[in-house]
Amino acid sequence: MQSRREFLRTAGAFAVSASLPLDRIEPELILYNGNIITINDRQPRAEAVAIAKGRFLAAGTNEKLQALATGNTKKINLEGQTVVPGFIDAHTHPAEAGLMHLRQVDCDLRSIAEIRNAISERASKTPAGDWVLGFKYDDTKTSDGRPLTREDLDAAAPQHPVYVSHRGGHTAYVNALGYERANVSEDTPDPAGGRFDRDPKTGKLNGRISERASEIFDKAIGANYSRADYREGVKLICKMMSRVGITSAHDAWGVHDYLRGYQDAHDAGELSTRIYCMMHYSEIDRMLAAGIRTGFGNEWIRVGGMKMAADGSISERTAWLSQSYVGRPNDFGIRVMTEEELYHNGRKAHEADWQIGTHANGDRAIDMVLRVYERLQRERPRRDPRFRLEHCTVVNDSLLQRIKSLGAIPTPFAAYVYYHGEKMREYGPERLDHMFALRSFLDAGIRVAPGSDYPPGPFEPMMALQSSVTRTDVNGNVWGPKQRITVEEALRTQTLHGAYASFEEHDKGSIERGKLADLVVLGRDPLQEDPFTLVKIPIERTMVGGRWVFGA
Ligand SMILES: [Zn+2]
């Protein structure tokens, strides 16, 4: 939260003073009387921490740290509160989610009546005939026991075309005017790879559309965001992430508009979450032509790896699996890119020293992606490519071994068991023992770095903590208890491992001398908390680069 000029000045000042012993820099701030969980094995606990130039100068006992204070040092008594390193969300979509929050109706509501009201309220503030858009609707989360219909949306906004996308992003719901704008009538045939769903009784369009049918509506909606909209969206999502203790986020589907939005927000002093921006593979040629590669940028915004996708989603049950879905013997999910396509794009990036991250949920997709990575490494060995397997949901022993020997990094959903429990039945309890396999990854010595995938998954780190530790959903059902990990392990995956996944472990992920001063003050100690109430631990304050960005 500082201007570009100020940032360059302080970054420069640190670079100069870094050659001095750190204890000869005057601390600007000392936090003391804390219960500081450092995630640094050499010094796991501390009572106090000293900060200057946006970095930690030292961590240690109250006595030792107080001795560093000068007349200019500000001191804050933590009164026993718990401090952890800032959380790193290793797979999320901040710019995109920010735009959605800025322009669309949040339909993460618990009844159809509430959703109708929210749509209707937005319509009352929108010129008649303009689109009203909604997002984060989830058919399994409303109390009505039925999905949204076109009639619901007609009643909510008779003068507006309406389009409400499902939380998972692969289906959506429209009203009569929406169909009309997209030129879809009762006689329109289904598009390739998509469907206009119909009422089984009447055979009429019921408002739901799936998969690639959305492209027709995307065109009709023609969302035209201005440069300022991207910046505003980033500002908004940063506030949301700071409130829950996220200090760094990996954008897992970055495009040039997002990258510019992050930079604009930073220039305006509105970026409070550090961004590692993985670039969509369609952007790679332009990036290569500019000579840009993974790691380019600064401690606020960095170009990440190149991102591709191999299969479908977990929440909408389209992951590409070796064993069929429960109750659907012929359904093994969907592969979205071929091995040749992955290799062709991957080789360009690999040869130019880019990190590569590929979305792969099902075991078949993971197997295919690993084959591509293994081939790239065989043909052009690199010392430390840190290949990423985005989500990497369903694994087995042989996949784990291959991940370990490649040094690859899985970024599984850590909050899904808790939040999306009702969808787990279609994977079955046996398979759940090999899904979101945090225990297996850690036991195999793999540096797993979980991500939320927000909007599809919630991003609250405390929910990820409870989900990983208890493997219990919000209704008390247990899914895959063999994959439980401890609170301390979960904290490490959400901090230090996230830093490793972006080649920033020297700068982030633990509270130790020289690292960026990113931390979170918690209302209670997660190590002392009942595992079933971890999600309720309040986030009191969040600091990024030595400045409070929430709860100051
Ligand atoms: Zn994603």
Side-chain angles (χ1 to χ4, degrees):
M1 299 285 272
Q2 53 192 148
S3 74
R4 187 184 194 84
R5 180 174 302 169
E6 199 183 345
F7 161 72
L8 290 171
R9 187 172 55 71
T10 53
F14 184 77
V16 172
S17 50
S19 55
L20 290 169
L22 282 171
D23 5 274
R24 283 182 39 203
I25 302 173
E26 237 178 64
E28 293 158 16
L29 175 66
I30 290 179
L31 308 179
Y32 67 102
N33 276 344
N35 166 36
I36 303 174
I37 301 170
T38 64
I39 315 294
N40 170 13
D41 286 338
R42 290 179 300 274
Q43 184 192 36
R45 292 292 181 279
E47 293 169 337
V49 65
I51 293 159
K53 317 282 184 210
R55 298 205 176 231
F56 296 121
L57 291 182
T61 60
N62 285 330
E63 201 185 354
K64 204 175 146 207
L65 275 276
Q66 296 272 26
L68 302 176
T70 69
N72 299 322
T73 306
K74 191 175 170 203
K75 292 191 225 166
I76 295 177
N77 185 348
L78 290 169
E79 293 170 348
Q81 278 185 313
T82 297
V83 174
V84 294
F87 290 105
I88 298 176
D89 189 334
H91 182 124
T92 174
H93 301 277
E96 186 188 3
L99 278 176
M100 286 173 151
H101 278 284
L102 194 65
R103 290 274 176 267
Q104 305 190 12
V105 180
D106 188 341
C107 294
D108 184 13
L109 299 166
R110 295 295 165 262
S111 72
I112 287 176
E114 286 175 74
I115 293 170
R116 281 169 61 156
N117 285 342
I119 299 276
S120 168
E121 202 207 317
R122 179 65 58 95
S124 71
K125 296 179 198 147
T126 307
D130 283 7
W131 284 90
V132 171
L133 308 174
F135 74 121
K136 276 168 81 182
Y137 164 63
D138 188 335
D139 62 303
T140 66
K141 300 277 186 204
T142 52
S143 56
D144 307 74
R146 67 165 181 90
L148 268 178
T149 63
R150 59 185 294 183
E151 288 79 17
D152 290 319
L153 299 177
D154 282 338
Q159 315 287 332
H160 300 76
V162 180
Y163 183 94
V164 175
S165 57
H166 193 279
R167 179 131 203 181
H170 294 240
T171 54
Y173 297 78
V174 301
N175 67 352
L177 257 179
Y179 282 124
E180 201 180 301
R181 283 303 172 78
N183 280 321
V184 174
S185 68
E186 295 291 347
D187 313 320
T188 311
D190 284 341
R195 199 169 55 218
F196 305 119
D197 290 329
R198 288 165 189 280
D199 185 313
K201 279 186 216 128
T202 63
K204 296 230 184 283
L205 295 171
N206 66 2
R208 184 176 188 261
I209 62 147
S210 20
E211 298 297 336
R212 297 188 61 186
S214 65
E215 291 169 12
I216 295 160
F217 288 85
D218 286 346
K219 227 177 270 162
I221 295 165
N224 240 334
Y225 294 118
S226 70
R227 182 169 174 175
D229 288 337
Y230 288 97
R231 198 197 84 211
E232 274 294 309
V234 169
K235 177 183 175 181
L236 187 59
I237 196 76
C238 280
K239 277 197 178 140
M240 294 169 67
M241 291 189 153
S242 295
R243 265 205 298 271
V244 301
I246 295 171
T247 56
S248 289
H250 299 184
D251 186 324
W253 210 224
V255 292
H256 59 277
D257 283 326
Y258 299 171
L259 196 52
R260 191 180 57 192
Y262 294 129
Q263 293 177 77
D264 286 347
H266 184 261
D267 284 356
E270 295 164 350
L271 190 77
S272 58
T273 313
R274 304 182 193 275
I275 300 290
Y276 184 66
C277 194
M278 313 247 292
M279 301 304 295
H280 191 285
Y281 65 94
S282 64
E283 302 268 356
I284 193 74
D285 289 336
R286 280 195 282 184
M287 301 293 282
L288 292 181
I292 291 170
R293 62 172 177 259
T294 300
F296 181 81
N298 62 30
E299 63 206 38
W300 281 98
I301 306 158
R302 221 175 265 296
V303 170
M306 181 187 76
K307 170 76 187 300
M308 297 187 285
D311 71 340
S313 87
I314 289 296
S315 70
E316 300 190 62
R317 293 135 280 168
T318 48
W320 193 36
L321 302 165
S322 61
Q323 313 280 320
S324 67
Y325 283 86
V326 172
R328 298 201 301 277
N330 297 315
D331 186 354
F332 296 89
I334 299 171
R335 180 180 68 181
V336 304
M337 275 173 91
T338 65
E339 191 163 336
E340 268 315 299
E341 282 177 279
L342 293 171
Y343 171 74
H344 170 78
N345 289 296
R347 201 178 70 172
K348 278 196 266 188
H350 186 70
E351 286 182 347
D353 290 324
W354 275 67
Q355 184 186 37
I356 303 171
T358 310
H359 166 121
N361 270 307
D363 50 353
R364 267 176 111 171
I366 296 166
D367 171 55
M368 174 174 73
V369 172
L370 283 172
R371 248 190 338 265
V372 171
Y373 290 168
E374 285 156 354
R375 180 174 169 194
L376 292 172
Q377 214 26 11
R378 215 169 34 242
E379 291 175 358
R380 185 183 180 277
R382 273 169 57 193
R383 201 178 53 78
D384 187 12
R386 297 195 197 180
F387 293 111
R388 296 172 49 132
L389 292 151
E390 305 303 323
H391 313 316
C392 197
T393 304
V394 185
V395 294
N396 56 45
D397 287 345
S398 109
L399 293 177
L400 286 166
Q401 254 172 27
R402 289 163 67 197
I403 294 167
K404 171 65 183 163
S405 47
L406 257 184
I409 301 156
T411 63
F413 306 109
Y416 264 37
V417 168
Y418 178 84
Y419 189 78
H420 284 306
E422 68 281 344
K423 296 161 185 91
M424 295 306 149
R425 293 183 202 290
E426 291 180 54
Y427 294 94
E430 211 272 323
R431 190 160 26 204
L432 256 299
D433 269 335
H434 306 276
M435 289 174 65
F436 324 110
L438 292 160
R439 177 80 274 147
S440 301
F441 290 134
L442 291 177
D443 288 350
I446 293 163
R447 277 189 255 208
V448 52
S452 67
D453 204 26
Y454 189 78
F459 57 65
E460 289 79 356
M462 289 296 125
M463 189 188 292
L465 207 59
Q466 177 161 332
S467 190
S468 313
V469 169
T470 67
R471 296 287 291 200
T472 303
D473 69 25
V474 71
N475 297 313
N477 304 303
V478 178
W479 299 104
K482 288 186 185 153
Q483 292 297 341
R484 282 179 182 142
I485 59 172
T486 66
V487 170
E488 198 139 13
E489 287 170 330
L491 286 173
R492 178 175 299 256
T493 63
Q494 293 184 61
T495 54
L496 199 53
H497 288 191
Y500 183 82
S502 63
F503 296 91
E504 292 172 296
E505 68 276 15
H506 54 283
D507 248 356
K508 291 179 184 177
S510 59
I511 296 176
E512 61 184 293
R513 185 186 168 91
K515 286 200 181 182
L516 295 165
D518 299 352
L519 60 79
V520 186
V521 181
L522 303 175
R524 297 195 297 271
D525 181 352
L527 294 167
Q528 306 298 325
E529 185 81 5
D530 174 348
F532 290 92
T533 55
L534 284 165
V535 69
K536 298 201 178 111
I537 293 181
I539 305 298
E540 302 286 346
R541 291 174 141 203
T542 304
M543 175 184 280
V544 180
R547 288 162 187 247
W548 298 112
V549 294
F550 167 70

